[in-house]
C-alpha cells in the first residue's frame, strides 16, 4: 500500500505559479511511476503529467507542455508539479497517483494509488 497526500493548491491569478507536492508513505516511492491528473467541474479526469520511477523520463499533456514541470525526490518520498503561466482553464482538483507499471502511463486506470486531491483555482 502507498498513501499519497497532495498539498500546495490554492487561488492564484492568471499568469501566476503554484507548486504542488505529493507526499508518499507506506511502500517505497521509487518502486512506482508517478503521475498527476486533474478534474474540472463537469468534466472527466484528465492526464496532466507523468514521470518514471527514477525520474529519467517525463511526459505531459499538450495543454500544459512548456508550462508545467513534473519532478520527484525519491530520497524524500515526494513528487512535485511546478505550474507556471497558469490559465483559468487550469482550474481543477489535482490528483497525484502512483503506478507499478514499468515506464510511465497516461491512463488513469493503470494507476494503483491516488491521493485525495488538492484544489487549484486560477482567476482571470
Amino acid at each position: 500500500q502507498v498513501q499519497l497526500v497532495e498539498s500546495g493548491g490554492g487561488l492564484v491569478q492568471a499568469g501566476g505559479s503554484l507548486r504542488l507536492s505529493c507526499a508518499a508513505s507506506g511502500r517505497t516511492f521509487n518502486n512506482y511511476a508517478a503521475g498527476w491528473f486533474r478534474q474540472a467541474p463537469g468534466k472527466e479526469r484528465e492526464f496532466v503529467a507523468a514521470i518514471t520511477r527514477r525520474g529519467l523520463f517525463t511526459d505531459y499533456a499538450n495543454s500544459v507542455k512548456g508550462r508545467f514541470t513534473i519532478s520527484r525526490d525519491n530520497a524524500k518520498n515526494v513528487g512535485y508539479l511546478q505550474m507556471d503561466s497558469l490559465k483559468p482553464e487550469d482550474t481543477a482538483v489535482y490528483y497525484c497517483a502512483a503506478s507499478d507499471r514499468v515506464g510511465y502511463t497516461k491512463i488513469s486506470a493503470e494507476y494503483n494509488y491516488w491521493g485525495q486531491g488538492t484544489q487549484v483555482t486560477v482567476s482571470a
Side-chain angles (χ1 to χ4, degrees):
Q1 287 281 350
V2 175
Q3 292 78 43
L4 303 172
V5 179
E6 302 96 335
S7 61
L11 173 64
V12 63
Q13 289 188 331
S17 298
L18 284 174
R19 188 176 81 158
L20 305 183
S21 298
C22 177
S25 60
R27 302 187 68 178
T28 307
F29 188 45
N30 62 11
N31 287 336
Y32 299 88
W36 289 90
F37 290 76
R38 67 187 182 186
Q39 188 168 18
K43 296 187 177 181
E44 294 187 353
R45 187 172 300 186
E46 65 174 0
F47 168 77
V48 175
I51 188 168
T52 52
R53 297 179 186 198
R54 296 188 178 185
L56 296 179
F57 297 98
T58 60
D59 200 2
Y60 299 90
N62 288 335
S63 59
V64 307
K65 200 169 293 184
R67 299 188 298 120
F68 290 12
T69 303
I70 189 172
S71 62
R72 64 192 299 163
D73 185 339
N74 288 336
K76 296 181 179 180
N77 281 348
V78 181
Y80 302 100
L81 184 68
Q82 177 67 41
M83 306 186 295
D84 299 317
S85 302
L86 282 161
K87 304 175 181 180
E89 52 263 44
D90 294 319
T91 295
V93 177
Y94 283 72
Y95 299 89
C96 70
S99 172
D100 61 6
R101 290 184 60 85
V102 174
Y104 66 86
T105 177
K106 300 180 181 182
I107 303 172
S108 61
E110 294 179 348
Y111 283 83
N112 308 90
Y113 304 102
W114 292 83
Q116 83 289 349
T118 185
Q119 176 70 46
V120 171
T121 303
V122 184
S123 62

